[in-house]
Amino acid sequence: MADIPKRNIPGGNVPEGQHPSGKNEEAGKATLSRRRVLQTLAAAGGATLVGASAEVFADNKIKGWPDRKGMLTDLTECVGCRTCEKACNRANGLPEPEVPFDEKSVFEKKRRPTASAYTVVNRYENPKSSDKPLYRKVQCNHCNEPGCASACPVRAYTKTPEGAVLYNKDVCFGCRYCMVACPFYVPAYDYESALDPRIVKCTMCHGRVKNGGIPACAEACPVGAVTFGKRSDLIRAARERIRKNPDRYVDHIFGEYEVGGTSWLYLSGVPFDRLDFPANLVEKPLVEQTKGFLSAVPLVLTIWPALLGMCYASTRNKEGKE
Amino acid sequence: MKNATVVVMAIALWAGVSAAGEKAGVGNVPKELVLGSLSRVYEPVRFNHSGHVSTAGGCADCHHQHGSTDVRSCTQCHRTDPSAFKKNVNAGMLKPCRECHSASAGPGAGIDRPTLKAAYHQACFKCHRGDVGTVGKDPKGCTEMCHVPAAQARLDGKK
């Protein structure tokens, strides 16, 4: 407990440009050292014990990144072609889907992002015109102040200055608190490899963006329904579209304020709850709320023995494999 | 609003000019166009331009030349004959979409003005979404209606 490591700022966990999944996976594979997990736990526990406002999380750093990037999905343009899904799949080296990308039967069920599909497009009835169904692209929204990061006991999540919320699978031990904490139900657990715990999700193509590129889905979208740019520019442009076409859009940019704001923004022609966007989200970041809870109940300490047990088991599995 | 301004300007203009410009008729309207900006992924698309001109009944559905950055005088594109002003657009003055819509997709592209690919598609999907063709209902619509994947076209050619 005495050996409390320097509390690095968000971004410290994931080496520059490292893709937390996919192709770079092998290259970025740092062996999970049990000591490291213990240190992190100790740090988190220690901070809570001392009662200092545990600055382990990604909050309030965000205001210093005015140039951070974002995405704008204009759902009035989306025609449900699933080109974004395909591009995402390729860019992240994910396996080909069982059902081909041009197969419309996938729209019969509402899908969620999974370990092998970081983004999915769902179909909805159009109340204005029944022969023009509506579509909603779903992926991680990259919250400004991510609830997943605040819930994670080992700081596997980091908010990057570029706007993406990244995930470092090497420190994850599979507690799945992030899945519960996410207001959009995004992080998906990779059940395929139960021995190698791994939560996976969209990275806003952080590697491509770092190299001056744009996320694969935005590049691929044939109708300009997904665009990438500075978040502040996107908000300005979205307002402009609403102003110019008041009949086309509902007067709301989803993600501008929800849960403290998200990198991913949306425009829609119908109220957002008709497309299963969570309604009545608070405008305050979730971090602020969970933090109160976390400092009141030293959560990590309470469940420490259980966590250590899990850590130990997962580490042993890993070591056994290597 | 925008239309109203344009019309007011048009009226002002008609008052000031004589009925010249007979030559600036509907000439030079392409019959068929080959749209090839995506040839890395798809074979070029053959677009029956003159067929569309008659179905659309005008040029404005696709060639929106107003409200753009274009500041040329009206007579460059329009005949000044009041009875034919709207419909008689000097085709030679219409620019291809790519002159204003960039094909590159860097950060910020397509925020204020659609990229070339998006401009084409948005223009086409004004009509081809759920109506003619299956775009908007079936992801296969893209290949059924217009696009032949590049590799497949080469295979078909070999057969």
Side-chain angles (χ1 to χ4, degrees):
Chain A
M1 276 295 249
D3 180 19
I4 293 177
K6 194 173 88 219
R7 221 173 293 138
N8 39 5
I9 56 152
N13 279 343
V14 181
E16 292 260 352
Q18 181 192 323
H19 221 266
S21 66
K23 285 191 193 115
N24 301 349
E25 197 177 306
E26 286 314 309
K29 194 159 192 160
T31 30
L32 171 81
S33 98
R34 201 182 333 153
R35 212 176 120 242
R36 177 132 173 251
V37 173
L38 293 185
Q39 280 177 344
T40 316
L41 281 174
T48 326
L49 262 191
V50 190
S53 79
E55 218 211 321
V56 245
F57 309 128
D59 58 334
N60 67 32
K61 293 280 178 261
I62 198 70
K63 292 188 189 75
W65 298 331
D67 282 349
R68 67 189 185 276
K69 302 292 191 292
M71 309 281 293
L72 174 63
T73 299
D74 187 333
L75 296 168
T76 67
E77 299 288 3
C78 180
V79 293
C81 68
R82 300 184 67 204
T83 307
C84 54
E85 290 188 41
K86 191 166 160 183
C88 174
N89 187 283
R90 303 268 147 89
N92 289 296
L94 300 176
E96 283 291 306
E98 276 164 35
V99 185
F101 284 114
D102 64 356
E103 179 52 57
K104 70 171 171 186
S105 63
V106 295
F107 291 134
E108 280 155 22
K109 279 192 306 221
K110 299 283 181 283
R111 295 174 296 151
R112 299 227 52 84
T114 66
S116 48
Y118 299 170
T119 186
V120 295
V121 175
N122 286 327
R123 184 178 63 192
Y124 291 87
E125 219 169 88
N126 186 346
K128 290 182 188 164
S129 160
S130 61
D131 64 347
K132 291 188 178 67
L134 298 172
Y135 297 92
R136 173 185 168 198
K137 179 183 184 300
V138 186
Q139 76 297 304
C140 171
N141 285 325
H142 302 275
C143 299
N144 290 346
E145 311 201 23
C148 55
S150 73
C152 179
V154 293
R155 285 186 287 153
Y157 287 93
T158 46
K159 176 81 181 172
T160 67
E162 290 78 28
V165 175
L166 295 188
Y167 167 79
N168 180 358
K169 75 179 178 60
D170 291 324
V171 299
C172 171
F173 60 94
C175 73
R176 305 189 207 182
Y177 285 177
C178 53
M179 293 174 70
V180 182
C182 176
F184 307 106
Y185 314 102
V186 162
Y189 198 70
D190 187 355
Y191 290 99
E192 320 267 281
S193 51
L195 298 183
D196 185 7
R198 198 161 84 106
I199 293 271
V200 278
K201 65 169 200 69
C202 161
T203 62
M204 220 164 102
C205 285
H206 190 245
R208 290 167 63 106
V209 168
K210 275 264 183 178
N211 293 325
I214 72 172
C217 55
E219 189 173 294
C221 179
V223 286
V226 186
T227 46
F228 170 81
K230 242 167 73 175
R231 186 175 184 272
S232 52
D233 287 345
L234 292 172
I235 290 174
R236 178 191 45 71
R239 285 234 176 77
E240 186 67 8
R241 286 188 209 175
I242 296 174
R243 189 185 63 76
K244 276 194 184 161
N245 310 285
D247 298 336
R248 181 180 180 120
Y249 297 106
V250 294
D251 189 5
H252 182 157
I253 305 171
F254 188 97
E256 187 179 6
Y257 298 115
E258 277 80 4
V259 293
T262 55
S263 299
W264 216 291
L265 306 161
Y266 300 83
L267 285 175
S268 169
V270 300
F272 284 95
D273 54 0
R274 296 199 70 136
L275 304 175
D276 286 346
F277 280 81
N280 308 323
L281 284 180
V282 282
E283 292 192 354
K284 259 169 80 185
L286 292 179
V287 182
E288 272 173 32
Q289 293 153 37
T290 46
K291 210 159 64 182
F293 169 69
L294 282 179
S295 44
V297 183
L299 179 71
V300 175
L301 283 187
T302 331
I303 57 163
W304 214 28
L307 286 182
L308 285 183
M310 282 159 77
C311 275
Y312 180 62
S314 82
T315 318
R316 208 176 42 175
N317 280 331
K318 268 215 165 146
E319 281 163 358
K321 264 199 317 191
E322 271 154 16
Chain B
M1 262 291 277
K2 208 191 281 168
N3 273 354
T5 326
V6 168
V7 171
V8 169
M9 285 167 73
I11 291 167
L13 191 94
W14 293 337
V17 282
S18 62
E22 286 294 332
K23 273 166 274 148
V26 188
N28 308 335
V29 181
K31 272 208 163 107
E32 189 185 70
L33 285 163
V34 179
L35 309 177
S37 64
L38 295 177
S39 54
R40 240 172 7 103
V41 193
Y42 295 118
E43 290 302 309
V45 167
R46 298 196 167 276
F47 172 55
N48 179 346
H49 188 265
S50 53
H52 274 84
V53 169
S54 35
T55 27
C59 322
D61 278 327
C62 305
H63 296 277
H64 69 108
Q65 301 285 328
H66 298 285
S68 72
T69 48
D70 202 306
V71 287
R72 283 176 296 175
S73 86
C74 319
T75 46
Q76 280 188 290
C77 296
H78 294 280
R79 269 168 71 171
T80 45
D81 168 6
S83 63
F85 181 85
K86 279 168 66 172
K87 294 292 172 213
N88 283 279
V89 175
N90 177 5
M93 293 310 298
L94 297 183
K95 294 192 208 159
C97 321
R98 68 177 168 279
E99 285 208 6
C100 304
H101 294 277
S102 156
S104 81
I111 296 181
D112 293 313
R113 188 188 305 186
T115 59
L116 182 60
K117 176 172 68 174
Y120 283 142
H121 284 117
Q122 287 183 13
C124 308
F125 296 164
K126 273 183 201 160
C127 301
H128 293 293
R129 178 170 176 183
D131 298 339
V132 189
T134 51
V135 171
K137 286 180 176 159
D138 189 336
K140 285 198 178 71
C142 315
T143 46
E144 276 172 3
M145 176 136 195
C146 290
H147 294 289
V148 180
Q152 191 195 325
R154 256 168 250 137
L155 284 179
D156 288 351
K158 273 195 199 134
K159 268 187 229 157

